[in-house]
Amino acid sequence: MICYHGSDVIVDSPRILDANRPLDFGGGFYTTTSEIQAKNWAIKVSYRNNSNHKCVNRYEFDLEKAKAEL
């Protein structure tokens, strides 16, 4: 499965951190299967952080391997 994460920074290896503020869906690292949605989010994050950088990080997950590890 391919997932995308829109940001203003490159995220090679996501880390789970404790949330320091309440978010819509709680703390976490959000991804989507829609590259377009990730691109739109990267634009919003860049604008909000007053940054000129827009990044769409792409991750490939092996769901069969993940299921076997459960």
Side-chain angles (χ1 to χ4, degrees), residues 5 11-17 29-31 57 59 61:
H5 173 76
V11 181
D12 290 323
S13 300
R15 293 182 304 142
I16 305 300
L17 304 173
F29 185 79
Y30 297 100
T31 62
N57 300 279
Y59 307 101
F61 297 102

Side-chain angles (χ1 to χ4, degrees), residues 15-52:
R15 293 182 304 142
I16 305 300
L17 304 173
D18 288 334
N20 61 1
R21 64 185 175 92
L23 301 172
D24 290 344
F25 300 104
F29 185 79
Y30 297 100
T31 62
T32 177
T33 56
S34 169
E35 186 175 10
I36 293 170
Q37 185 178 11
K39 286 179 182 179
N40 289 336
W41 188 251
I43 292 167
K44 290 176 185 176
V45 169
S46 175
Y47 179 77
R48 180 177 49 192
N49 292 340
N50 197 28
S51 167
N52 290 326

